[in-house]
Amino acid sequence: MRTVNVGIIGLGTVGGGVARLILSHHDDYVKSYGIDLNIKRGCALDASTAAACGITGDAFTNDWHEVVSDPDIDVVVELIGGEHPATEIYEAAFAAHKHVVTANKALLGRHVERLAGLARAAGVQLRCEAAAAGGIPVVNAIEHSLMGNRFLTVAGILNGTTNYILSRMTTEGLGYEEVLADAQRLGYAEADPSADVDGFDAASKTAILASMSFHTRVTTDDVYQQGIRNITAEDIAVAKDLGYTIKLLGIARNTAEGVEARVHPTMIPSTHQLAAVSGAMNAVYVVGDAVGETMFYGAGAGSFPTASAVVGDIFALAEPLSRGEQPLAEVEPFGHVLPIRRIDELTNSFYVRLRVNDEVGTLAPTVAAFSDAGISISQINQLETETDGACSVVFITHEASEAAMAKAEKALADLDGVREVASVIRIEDISKWTKGVFAN
């Protein structure tokens, strides 16, 4: 057994958790697995940050170059996030023939094909379990345990901040702004919550999971994004009455026409397993043609849950290294094999809430606007009249194309009696998720 030396770049929330986990469990790792992990260098902006997680003396540096250039380090762990200098760290580490472990979903969501190619050329690995769903070990399941399947659907709650906000709006009847402010006060949401509430974080994870599952390159820019800013307590209450729960879902489907990849608020049946995922928890629903439906549940963020996934990746590399063997090189990165379907090519049922003048004759033109766009209505509900003489009318459509819905939305907004197209929310047909599963 030889010692496996690790260099950690970034000792913040996740990096600090990784350092604490390795240092506190070191003896257990040796006893249980015969693997001696040693944090050779830790990089942070200041020594006090490093000292707080147990890295002192010569092990501390504030220059990441000293980590990647250290000839004794086997595995570089990048946990600073963002594109720069993370990209340069990967390039330098691969040039020095060092493996890289990361949780950097934003970078990998856009550039994993190039970076994985560099790793393969250098004969090393790029591992990213923590980038897909925090502490949930879904990447390992897709790449190993379930690799005998053709994956049909990967869908899930991939952002804890938005799930926390929607969960509290659902259980307490609160408005979006009120819950967001509370989430920021409690540390669930950043001062600038855009990456979470506008769907970018979930889109990066959706891109990574879709690429791995469907063996084709999907980038964050390929994923349609819509956030939760316009979801109201009224929408949530109406959805509940209709038997639905509103969740921000990342959905990727492998269809005969190509890959669907989208993130948006979604109404799903309240009886579905994903509807029961509350608070800041995450869940990933994976459907394979052989295994059928599976769900992976856990913390998608946080210091120690994410550190757990990072250390798991380190162990996957450390096991052969500790025996004096080199891990296999990174596999050939996936290219753009399958077409990506544009959002306007897809079909859904829709929930549409209009604020209209509470007057005779207002409803007929709205129904005509749907009809003119080629959309049929399955249900119409009028809610209570408001104090300003307006009322909300909710339409549930039959399945229609996204392009038709966009046409109808524009026509509705131009009607004299319509004050506002308040909400348009997709109603997911979850039966599509299992299309292609083998019959037992």
Side-chain angles (χ1 to χ4, degrees), residues 5-314:
N5 290 310
V6 177
I8 305 174
I9 301 174
L11 295 171
T13 299
V14 177
V18 171
R20 292 182 180 94
L21 199 57
I22 292 175
L23 292 172
S24 63
H25 292 347
H26 173 270
D27 293 347
D28 292 333
Y29 296 156
V30 174
K31 181 179 178 181
S32 300
Y33 307 114
I35 296 176
D36 177 22
L37 289 183
N38 174 52
I39 302 177
K40 181 75 164 37
R41 304 300 292 270
C43 180
L45 292 177
D46 60 79
S48 62
T49 300
C53 50
I55 297 175
T56 58
D58 292 340
F60 166 73
T61 179
N62 60 9
D63 182 357
W64 64 262
H65 296 85
E66 294 184 3
V67 177
V68 297
S69 64
D70 188 325
D72 294 330
I73 287 178
D74 302 293
V75 180
V76 173
V77 181
E78 179 275 308
L79 296 171
I80 59 174
E83 290 201 18
H84 302 286
T87 300
E88 291 74 20
I89 289 169
Y90 290 31
E91 292 170 344
F94 296 148
H97 300 284
K98 300 184 188 301
H99 306 280
V100 172
V101 173
T102 184
N104 194 332
K105 52 191 172 287
L107 179 59
L108 296 186
R110 286 201 163 122
H111 303 296
V112 70
E113 184 177 5
R114 173 178 172 271
L115 296 171
L118 292 176
R120 179 175 175 79
V124 295
Q125 287 190 23
L126 170 61
R127 300 188 66 91
C128 61
E129 177 70 76
I136 303 174
V138 66
V139 171
N140 184 67
I142 290 170
E143 291 189 332
H144 299 286
S145 303
L146 299 176
M147 66 184 299
N149 290 260
R150 176 179 180 268
F151 293 105
L152 307 172
T153 301
V154 180
I157 296 165
L158 301 174
N159 182 270
T161 298
T162 53
N163 200 52
Y164 172 84
I165 292 170
L166 292 174
S167 294
R168 285 199 58 194
M169 290 176 68
T170 300
T171 57
E172 301 176 40
L174 302 174
Y176 167 78
E177 294 291 348
E178 182 179 359
V179 179
L180 173 61
D182 209 28
Q184 291 170 320
R185 181 182 62 81
L186 295 171
Y188 286 111
E190 301 288 343
D192 178 2
S194 301
D196 294 322
V197 301
D198 292 332
F200 179 78
D201 176 77
S204 296
K205 296 172 183 176
T206 301
I208 293 169
L209 290 171
S211 296
M212 292 178 173
S213 300
F214 307 148
H215 298 175
T216 189
R217 185 70 190 102
V218 180
T219 72
T220 305
D221 294 334
D222 294 323
V223 181
Y224 171 80
Q225 298 173 39
Q226 180 185 346
I228 66 167
R229 293 181 190 265
N230 294 328
I231 301 299
T232 68
E234 186 174 20
D235 295 324
I236 288 174
V238 174
K240 184 177 180 180
D241 289 341
L242 294 170
Y244 294 109
T245 299
I246 299 176
K247 294 290 187 183
L248 182 76
L249 296 185
I251 301 170
R253 295 183 59 233
N254 188 5
T255 75
E257 295 80 17
V259 172
E260 294 179 16
R262 48 198 167 93
V263 170
H264 51 71
T266 309
M267 288 188 180
I268 55 173
S270 296
T271 53
H272 193 272
Q273 293 94 321
L274 286 173
V277 178
S278 62
M281 302 303 283
N282 285 193
V284 185
Y285 205 74
V286 180
V287 182
D289 59 359
V291 72
E293 301 169 88
T294 64
M295 192 170 88
F296 301 82
Y297 169 89
S303 178
F304 287 114
T306 310
S308 170
V310 172
V311 174
D313 274 346
I314 294 171

Side-chain angles (χ1 to χ4, degrees), residues 302-371:
S303 178
F304 287 114
T306 310
S308 170
V310 172
V311 174
D313 274 346
I314 294 171
F315 262 101
L317 297 167
E319 187 174 12
L321 287 170
S322 67
R323 299 193 303 267
E325 303 170 3
Q326 277 298 319
L328 295 174
E330 183 71 23
V331 298
E332 185 73 30
F334 302 123
H336 290 271
V337 178
L338 300 176
I340 306 296
R341 302 189 69 192
R342 300 191 313 272
I343 189 66
D344 59 6
E345 298 174 343
L346 308 184
T347 60
N348 273 294
S349 296
F350 295 89
Y351 159 100
V352 181
R353 181 169 61 84
L354 306 179
R355 291 187 69 251
V356 303
N357 295 328
D358 190 12
E359 299 171 351
V360 175
T362 299
L363 191 59
T366 63
V367 174
F370 283 105
S371 179

